[in-house]
Amino acid sequence: MDEATLARFADLVVGFGANVQPEQIVAIGAEIGKEHLARALAASAYRAGAKFVDVQYFDLHVKRARVEFSREELLPFVPSWYGERILELGRQRCARIGLTGPSAPGLLDDLDPARVGKDPLPFLKESGQVVNERTTNWTAVPCPTPQWAQLVHPELDPVAAYAKLCEQIVHVCRLDEEDPIAAWTARADALVSTAARMTDIGYDALHFTGPGTDLTVGLLPTSTWMAARFETVDGITHMPNLPSEEIFTAPDPLRVDGVVRSTKPLVVGGSIIRGLEVEFRDGRAVRIDADEHADVLRGYAARDEGAARLGEVALVDGDGRIGALDTVFFDTLLDENAASHIAIGSAYQFTAGEADHPRLNQSQIHIDFMIGGPDVDVHATPRGGGDRVPVLVGGAWKI
């Protein structure tokens, strides 16, 4: 990505995605190898009037050393100041920007998956708290790296692979539009409108059917569909994911039944889980199998009482730019916005009415995996019973 494009990308992320305000503190979370975008974002934030930019880098090689050599009972430990930093960002009404994309693909593949699953970092449970409290304006964006490019495009030489990945990120982030902000505003308007229709209809349950998938996900009486555009408690509008192509809500964590097969690989804690299949019974994941690294997800799902239950269900239509590329990015931000998905772990409080807040799933984790695609259809059961009705068929909305 050339310097001009990098600066344009940073300005889109800072000015539209996170919507950084003058004199805000801006926290940027990145990994080693993503310095180029982190620095461009810092420069853009200062141009926008930021009071201070705090960049924090996570080193997956250090995580590897911990998983390899630490005593197993110590692996779940996270120093208190990690979480306190996140909470303080909320208390001081800061902006947050996170950079996604694998920085060292396969680095943990030769380690014991069960041990890998016990170390939660870089995920912090406090992140969910500040999101629920809506105290920070934030966004997550993909950061291209040569290592990631080789994983996505192994058929190309390293230079061509990196150029291809950069080109795709420019496209899915709508940077190839003359006015990316106008393009994103139009797309966000469409998503928010669809989410509002889903909320107004008020289905009782969703039914996913496709190759290897027959899954029923119950919804709460006040399940509220959200999309694209969030607002902080202080009225700052921001776009939590850039790109974002989904609408999502909180399911009933006690009413999930059936079998679901992931339609894309899942990257968790540095390990790539392929061929994932999960069976749910009475809301709980009772079987987690995969062609590779199933033990990693099993470890996360055993973290606490809510880790094996759903905290999110999301629908993605065929009008987005990511799915049309027919590319597996091995990055949850991109892959989850290419296909409908579910997440085990914590729910977002604002995706249900106050009356149902006690019923929302709670957990230290939140892990999305993709279950949708053109051959996975979604039907719904109306509240009060009746025949199932189509909602999303062949990637097209039917509501």
Side-chain angles (χ1 to χ4, degrees):
M1 193 176 290
D2 61 63
E3 291 300 318
T5 303
L6 194 64
R8 192 164 180 253
F9 187 22
D11 286 346
L12 175 67
V13 173
V14 168
F16 179 73
N19 193 12
V20 172
Q21 302 295 296
E23 299 190 17
Q24 259 195 317
I25 295 172
V26 180
I28 298 174
E31 292 175 298
I32 302 297
K34 300 179 180 179
E35 295 89 345
H36 56 298
L37 182 52
R39 292 165 183 165
L41 290 166
S44 178
Y46 279 124
R47 288 195 298 270
K51 179 188 294 185
F52 187 82
V53 178
D54 178 24
V55 182
Q56 186 177 65
Y57 291 102
F58 184 79
D59 190 336
L60 197 63
H61 290 266
V62 176
K63 178 185 175 87
R64 178 190 167 87
R66 184 189 190 198
V67 172
E68 188 172 5
F69 300 116
S70 179
R71 297 205 314 271
E72 187 165 345
E73 67 270 19
L74 299 179
L75 291 175
F77 171 77
V78 177
S80 59
W81 58 87
Y82 278 46
E84 278 301 317
R85 175 180 179 272
I86 297 294
L87 296 177
E88 192 60 31
L89 292 174
R91 286 190 283 264
Q92 296 197 32
R93 300 298 194 264
C94 303
R96 297 186 299 124
I97 300 172
L99 306 188
T100 74
S103 60
L107 182 64
L108 309 182
D109 284 356
D110 62 329
L111 300 180
D112 180 356
R115 288 176 61 86
V116 173
K118 291 181 182 296
D119 179 0
L121 294 175
F123 178 81
L124 296 169
K125 66 181 186 300
E126 289 82 2
S127 298
Q129 181 176 334
V130 297
V131 169
N132 281 329
E133 293 174 349
R134 299 188 295 120
T135 50
T136 64
N137 40 305
W138 62 280
T139 193
V141 298
C143 176
T145 63
Q147 296 85 356
W148 182 16
Q150 280 294 100
L151 177 65
V152 177
H153 298 294
E155 76 284 359
L156 300 177
D157 67 71
V159 173
Y162 183 60
K164 180 69 172 178
L165 179 61
C166 289
E167 175 189 310
Q168 290 178 314
I169 288 177
V170 163
H171 177 66
V172 300
C173 290
R174 290 172 166 77
L175 282 168
D176 52 2
E177 296 280 349
E178 182 176 346
D179 187 345
I181 291 178
W184 273 118
T185 300
R187 178 58 172 162
D189 286 346
L191 291 169
V192 169
S193 175
T194 301
R197 291 203 304 276
M198 288 287 289
T199 300
D200 290 343
I201 294 170
Y203 295 116
D204 177 68
L206 299 178
H207 308 269
F208 294 83
T209 55
T213 290
D214 187 353
L215 182 73
T216 299
V217 178
L219 301 176
L220 296 166
T222 64
S223 287
T224 303
W225 289 88
M226 305 288 294
R229 190 181 290 132
F230 284 13
E231 186 175 295
T232 71
V233 290
D234 301 310
I236 300 174
T237 301
H238 57 108
M239 194 166 184
N241 291 338
L242 190 66
S244 180
E245 307 284 2
E246 64 175 316
I247 70 168
F248 65 97
T249 193
D252 184 338
L254 302 181
R255 294 197 301 131
V256 183
D257 292 278
V259 177
V260 63
R261 181 171 295 170
S262 181
T263 52
K264 292 180 180 289
L266 169 66
V267 179
V268 178
S271 297
I272 300 175
I273 302 174
R274 305 175 193 267
L276 176 64
E277 185 174 282
V278 183
E279 180 179 355
F280 289 88
R281 191 178 307 141
D282 296 328
R284 177 174 292 278
V286 296
R287 178 175 61 85
I288 298 176
D289 291 326
D291 297 335
E292 299 178 49
H293 304 303
D295 282 346
V296 173
L297 192 59
R298 289 175 189 148
Y300 279 94
R303 185 69 54 79
D304 53 46
E305 177 61 27
R309 296 185 183 275
L310 292 191
E312 179 187 346
V313 58
L315 302 179
V316 178
D317 66 13
D319 290 338
R321 292 192 173 190
I322 305 172
L325 295 178
D326 195 26
T327 299
V328 176
F329 286 100
F330 301 96
D331 175 52
T332 299
L333 172 64
L334 294 180
D335 289 335
E336 77 170 2
N337 280 290
S340 298
H341 51 277
I342 53 179
I344 56 172
S346 60
Y348 296 117
Q349 195 173 76
F350 48 79
T351 54
E354 189 173 348
D356 281 327
H357 284 179
R359 299 174 62 182
L360 293 174
N361 199 40
Q362 298 184 24
S363 175
Q364 297 180 43
I365 72 164
H366 182 95
I367 298 176
D368 300 271
F369 58 96
M370 288 56 73
I371 65 170
D375 54 355
V376 178
D377 293 334
V378 184
H379 290 72
T381 300
R383 285 186 188 150
D387 295 335
R388 294 182 182 180
V389 295
V391 171
L392 189 63
V393 177
W397 292 111
K398 300 298 181 181
I399 58 175

